[in-house]
Amino acid sequence: MERLQKVIAYAGVASRRKAEQLILEGKVKVNGKVVKELGTKVGMNEKIEVNGVPLEKESPVYFLLYKPRGVISSASDDKGRKVVTDFFQELDKRIYPIGRLDYDTSGLILLTNDGEFANTLMHPKYEVEKVYVAKVKGIPSKEKLRLLERGIKLEDGVTAPAKVKLLSIDKRKQTAIVELAIHEGKNRQVRRMLDAIGHEVLKLKRERYGFLTLQGLTTGEFRELSPHEVKQLRALASTEGNRLK
Ligand code: URA
């Protein structure tokens, strides 16, 4: 179930704000009845009309973007900063990111107009594995990295066990490159996990999302997912969900 104004916006009829206005003006019908409540939730099979015209569902699209640093993972920003959807200005569909990467984090992010698909992938029960590569200050010891493998206490709870690899060290600069594979998506999780063992993150990149990688793309580039990849992601979400049950 989704909020009515969101469904109207995703169908490409109007912005979310304009959709709210249309609802308040009594121009929207659900199953033949005028609905003026902004919070109304509607399901997939409900018949929605705007100004007497039935809503056509936009055909779903799925993209993989190599997000550069300095870009917000959102469809709009009230401070006018660059957002991930700015890379898709030629597209005549309203897409939005699935989950988020910090402003300063680069790497793989998926975007779609398929709300159900996005919700499935973002649901904590189904979180697929994500692999991050971090450049950190100092050289972490094996013992400290093991703490991350076991799970570490953050202010919003203990993290689930992570897979951790020390990829390289630079003794002269006193920095290291660490790979972390996690299933969760707590806010700034990787930065906070590494902070918790005393190693500030200097640079962070998401390299993998399930089986998807950035192969063939450079920063700021995107590609469409194939129907097979979309199917595989759905299957992956449900098997990962089973793993966690
Ligand atoms: N963990 C972080 O700290 N930042 C991100 O952007 C993603 C995961």
Side-chain angles (χ1 to χ4, degrees):
M1 301 284 273
E2 286 280 13
R3 288 160 79 86
L4 185 54
Q5 57 266 44
K6 202 165 156 185
V7 174
I8 295 170
Y10 288 165
V13 173
S15 67
R16 187 118 31 124
R17 199 161 300 158
K18 184 81 208 302
E20 288 177 357
Q21 213 178 320
L22 290 166
I23 295 169
L24 292 173
E25 287 168 3
K27 296 195 171 141
V28 177
K29 281 186 188 167
V30 177
N31 301 325
K33 280 196 195 127
V34 172
V35 170
K36 287 188 172 180
E37 298 284 319
L38 285 185
T40 305
K41 297 247 177 137
V42 288
M44 291 278 288
N45 298 318
E46 262 146 333
K47 195 172 161 249
I48 302 162
E49 288 167 68
V50 178
N51 284 326
V53 181
L55 214 64
E56 290 292 334
K57 214 174 157 213
E58 249 183 13
S59 54
V61 285
Y62 309 88
F63 292 98
L64 185 166
L65 169 72
Y66 186 160
K67 176 183 130 25
R69 294 163 72 185
V71 178
I72 308 261
S73 299
S74 163
S76 64
D77 181 53
D78 49 16
K79 294 190 189 123
R81 290 169 295 183
K82 198 170 173 77
V83 294
V84 282
T85 48
D86 287 346
F87 294 94
F88 298 84
Q89 272 165 5
E90 309 282 287
L91 190 73
D92 61 349
K93 292 181 176 164
R94 280 166 209 273
I95 56 168
Y96 46 91
I98 302 180
R100 55 191 298 277
L101 285 179
D102 297 335
Y103 183 71
D104 286 331
T105 303
S106 65
L108 195 161
I109 189 157
L110 300 178
L111 296 101
T112 186
N113 56 353
D114 181 342
E116 214 176 318
F117 180 79
N119 286 340
T120 305
L121 287 186
M122 284 193 292
H123 194 288
K125 200 169 86 183
Y126 301 131
E127 291 254 9
V128 301
E129 185 175 78
K130 288 143 225 156
V131 176
Y132 296 88
V133 174
K135 181 178 180 183
V136 298
K137 211 166 168 177
I139 298 170
S141 65
K142 276 196 182 132
E143 291 70 32
K144 282 201 171 166
L145 294 178
R146 195 149 303 142
L147 294 175
L148 300 182
E149 284 176 344
R150 286 202 205 112
I152 195 152
K153 196 164 179 283
L154 301 178
E155 60 189 13
D156 48 353
V158 178
T159 61
K163 285 189 231 154
V164 185
K165 273 189 216 159
L166 183 62
L167 296 184
S168 66
I169 58 174
D170 186 329
K171 278 195 181 153
R172 197 175 53 81
K173 291 190 183 144
Q174 283 295 297
T175 57
I177 308 288
V178 182
E179 183 186 278
L180 245 93
I182 58 172
H183 286 266
E184 301 161 291
K186 293 182 197 290
N187 189 28
R188 296 178 76 80
Q189 180 161 346
V190 173
R191 291 175 197 273
R192 290 193 292 136
M193 285 172 78
L194 286 159
D195 262 347
I197 59 162
H199 292 280
E200 186 195 340
V201 170
L202 302 173
K203 242 179 172 182
L204 185 61
K205 177 176 170 191
R206 180 151 75 191
E207 294 226 316
R208 190 157 68 71
Y209 187 100
F211 57 89
L212 294 169
T213 68
L214 291 165
Q215 203 191 345
L217 298 178
T218 61
T219 166
E221 286 185 340
F222 63 83
R223 70 172 178 88
E224 199 161 356
L225 295 182
S226 71
H228 184 65
E229 285 172 324
V230 174
K231 219 167 167 180
Q232 267 183 295
L233 276 175
R234 283 191 210 277
L236 186 63
S238 60
T239 51
E240 297 280 339
N242 289 333
R243 181 187 60 83
L244 297 171
K245 263 182 209 155

